[in-house]
C-alpha cells in the first residue's frame, strides 16, 4: 500500500516522461562511453572504418573473380593490385602535372598579385601605396616571427606521417582479410550472440547493403563531378587542372562541406592564374553542376540507400566533424545510415510460419479416396 502511494501521487504522463528520461540517460551514458573508447582508439578505429568502406567498394570485383573460378586469395590479390595501380596512376598524374606547371602557376600568381595591387591603388578604392607596403611588411614580419612555430610544426608533421603510414598498413591488412574471409569472419562473429544471432545477422546484412550502395553510389557521383570539373578547368586553360579535378573528386566524399572547400580552392586558383571572368565562369558552372548533382544524381544513385533529409545530413556532419575532424565528417553519414537501417532489424522478431492446415476428417458424404490400381488387383486376387 505504501509502495503504491508515490505512484498514485505522480500523474501518468509525468511517470512516462520520467521512465523515458531514465532510458535516455542510460543510452546517453553508453553512447558517451563508447565514443570515448573509439576516440582513445582512433589509431585503430579509423583505419578499420576506412577498410570497411574500401571493402564495400572493392568486394563486387572480388566476388566476380571468385565466381569466375579463381580462389579467394588470388581474387583478393588481383583486386588490391588493381586498386593500387589506380592510386599510383592518379598520384603520378598529379606529380607530373604539378612539376611541369608549378613554375608557370607561381609566375601567373605573382602577375595577378601585381595587377591586384595596381588596381587597389589606381582603381575606385584609391588605396595608398605606403599602406599596401606596410601590410606586406606586416605579413612578412609575422612569418619571420612564427618561424620557430613552423619548425615545430614540421617536426610534428614527421611524427604524424609515421602514424599515417602505420594506419595505412593496418587499413590494407584489414581490407585484405575482409575481402578474402569476410563470410567466415561474419559467421564467427554471429556465434557470440546465441539466440540473437538471427536478428544480428539481418541487421548486419541490412547495414552492409546500405554501406555498399552508399560507397559505390558516392564513388560514381564523385567521378562524374571530378570529370566534368576537370574538363571545365582544362577548357578554361587553368594550370594544375588535373590535381584540382582529383581534389574535387576526393572532396565529394564529404557531403556539402567537401565540395565547398574544394570549389573555393579551385576558384581561387582560377582567379590567380587566369582572369576574374574565367573564375566567374568556373564558379557558375560549379554551382549549376552541384545543383544537378544534388537534385538528380544523388537522389537517383545514393538517395535510395540513405533517404536522409539535408538537415539530418548537416547535423550528422557537424557532430562527426566535432568528434573526429575531417575524417569524422567523412564517415559520419554512412555510420548514421547504417544505424538507421540496422535498428529496425534488431527490434523486429522473425515471424514464425503458420502451421500447415490438416485435411478435414472424412464424413459419410465424402466419398472414399480412390485406390491405386495395384491395390485393387491385390484385393481381387485375395478374394
Amino acid at each position: 500500500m505504501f509502495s503504491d502511494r508515490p505512484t498514485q501521487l505522480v500523474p501518468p504522463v509525468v511517470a512516462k516522461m520520467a521512465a523515458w528520461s531514465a532510458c535516455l540517460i542510460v543510452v546517453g551514458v553508453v553512447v558517451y562511453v563508447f565514443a570515448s573508447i573509439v576516440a582513445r582508439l582512433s589509431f585503430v578505429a579509423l583505419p578499420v572504418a576506412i577498410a570497411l568502406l574500401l571493402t564495400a567498394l572493392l568486394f563486387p570485383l572480388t566476388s566476380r573473380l571468385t565466381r569466375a573460378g579463381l580462389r579467394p586469395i588470388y581474387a583478393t590479390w588481383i583486386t588490391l593490385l588493381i586498386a593500387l595501380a589506380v592510386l599510383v596512376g592518379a598520384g603520378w598524374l598529379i606529380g607530373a602535372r604539378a612539376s611541369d606547371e608549378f613554375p608557370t602557376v607561381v609566375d601567373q600568381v605573382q602577375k595577378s598579385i601585381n595587377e591586384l595591387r595596381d588596381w587597389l591603388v589606381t582603381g575606385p578604392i584609391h588605396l595608398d601605396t605606403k599602406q599596401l607596403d606596410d601590410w606586406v611588411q606586416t605579413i612578412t614580419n609575422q612569418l619571420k616571427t612564427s618561424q620557430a612555430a613552423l619548425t615545430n610544426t614540421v617536426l610534428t608533421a614527421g611524427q604524424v606521417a609515421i602514424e599515417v603510414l602505420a594506419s595505412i598498413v593496418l587499413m590494407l591488412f584489414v581490407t585484405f582479410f575482409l575481402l578474402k574471409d569476410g563470410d567466415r569472419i561474419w559467421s564467427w562473429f554471429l556465434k557470440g550472440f546465441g539466440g540473437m544471432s538471427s536478428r544480428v545477422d539481418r541487421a548486419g546484412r541490412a547495414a552492409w547493403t546500405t554501406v555498399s550502395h552508399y560507397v559505390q553510389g558516392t564513388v560514381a557521383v564523385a567521378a562524374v563531378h571530378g570529370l566534368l570539373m576537370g574538363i571545365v578547368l582544362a577548357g578554361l586553360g587553368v594550370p594544375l587542372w588535373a590535381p584540382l579535378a582529383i581534389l574535387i573528386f576526393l572532396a565529394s566524399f564529404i557531403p556539402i562541406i567537401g565540395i565547398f572547400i574544394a570549389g573555393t580552392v579551385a576558384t581561387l586558383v582560377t582567379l590567380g592564374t587566369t582572369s576574374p571572368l574565367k573564375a566567374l565562369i568556373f564558379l557558375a558552372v560549379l554551382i549549376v553542376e552541384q545543383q544537378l548533382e544534388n537534385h538528380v544524381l544523388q537522389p537517383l544513385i545514393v538517395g535510395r540507400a540513405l533517404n536522409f533529409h539535408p538537415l539530418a545530413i548537416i547535423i550528422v556532419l557537424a557532430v562527426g566533424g566535432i568528434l573526429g575532424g575531417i575524417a569524422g565528417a567523412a564517415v559520419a553519414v554512412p555510420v548514421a545510415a547504417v544505424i538507421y537501417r540496422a535498428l529496425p532489424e534488431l527490434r523486429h522478431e522473425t515471424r514464425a510460419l503458420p502451421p500447415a492446415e490438416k485435411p478435414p476428417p472424412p464424413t459419410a458424404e465424402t466419398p472414399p479416396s480412390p485406390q491405386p490400381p495395384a491395390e485393387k488387383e491385390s484385393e481381387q486376387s485375395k478374394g
Side-chain angles (χ1 to χ4, degrees), residues 72-377:
I73 186 170
Y74 298 148
T76 302
W77 275 114
I78 292 175
T79 302
L80 291 179
L81 289 177
I82 292 175
L84 183 61
V86 172
L87 292 177
V88 171
W92 176 83
L93 178 62
I94 293 175
R97 298 292 299 183
S99 61
D100 293 339
E101 298 180 355
F102 188 75
T104 305
V105 171
V106 173
D107 295 337
Q108 291 179 349
V109 169
Q110 290 178 351
K111 182 180 178 181
S112 299
I113 291 175
N114 293 330
E115 292 177 355
L116 177 61
R117 181 178 179 180
D118 295 338
W119 180 81
L120 291 175
V121 174
T122 61
I125 301 179
H126 292 291
L127 291 180
D128 188 7
T129 307
K130 184 177 182 303
Q131 186 178 2
L132 289 176
D133 295 336
D134 292 339
W135 289 351
V136 174
Q137 187 64 32
T138 302
I139 295 174
T140 304
N141 293 334
Q142 288 180 353
L143 290 176
K144 290 180 179 180
T145 305
S146 59
Q147 185 176 3
L150 292 176
T151 304
N152 294 332
T153 303
V154 171
L155 295 177
T156 306
Q159 181 180 0
V160 171
I162 296 175
E163 294 180 355
V164 169
L165 181 61
S167 299
I168 291 175
V169 173
L170 177 61
M171 179 191 67
L172 292 176
F173 270 102
V174 175
T175 304
F176 175 82
F177 285 108
L178 287 178
L179 288 173
K180 178 179 175 292
D181 300 325
D183 295 336
R184 290 194 294 173
I185 294 173
W186 181 246
S187 300
W188 171 83
F189 179 75
L190 289 176
K191 292 180 181 179
F193 291 92
M196 291 286 294
S197 59
S198 60
R199 292 190 184 186
V200 176
D201 186 32
R202 294 198 310 271
R205 294 184 184 277
W208 181 250
T209 302
T210 302
V211 171
S212 300
H213 289 170
Y214 172 79
V215 173
Q216 295 168 12
T218 303
V219 169
V221 173
V224 172
H225 193 45
L227 179 62
L228 291 178
M229 290 298 98
I231 293 174
V232 172
L233 290 170
L236 293 175
V238 179
L240 301 177
W241 61 268
L244 290 175
I246 294 176
L247 175 64
I248 293 174
F249 167 76
L250 296 176
S252 299
F253 289 93
I254 305 177
I256 300 175
I257 299 176
I259 193 58
F260 174 77
I261 297 174
T264 302
V265 173
T267 304
L268 292 176
V269 172
T270 305
L271 177 62
T273 57
T274 57
S275 64
L277 178 59
K278 291 185 178 181
L280 289 176
I281 293 174
F282 171 76
L283 183 61
V285 174
L286 178 64
I287 293 174
V288 172
E289 199 276 337
Q290 183 66 21
Q291 294 300 317
L292 290 176
E293 177 186 335
N294 292 336
H295 295 89
V296 179
L297 292 179
Q298 287 283 353
L300 289 177
I301 300 177
V302 185
R304 295 179 180 179
L306 298 183
N307 196 18
F308 272 13
H309 193 274
L311 178 60
I313 293 179
I314 292 174
I315 294 175
V316 169
L317 285 173
V319 174
I322 292 173
L323 295 178
I326 297 178
V331 301
V333 175
V335 168
V338 164
I339 296 174
Y340 181 74
R341 298 298 181 189
L343 282 180
E345 299 296 336
L346 286 175
R347 293 185 316 178
H348 295 165
E349 295 183 1
T350 305
R351 295 182 179 179
L353 296 176
E357 296 182 359
K358 296 181 180 180
T363 58
E365 298 179 355
T366 304
S369 59
Q371 297 180 355
E375 294 183 1
K376 290 183 179 180
E377 293 177 359

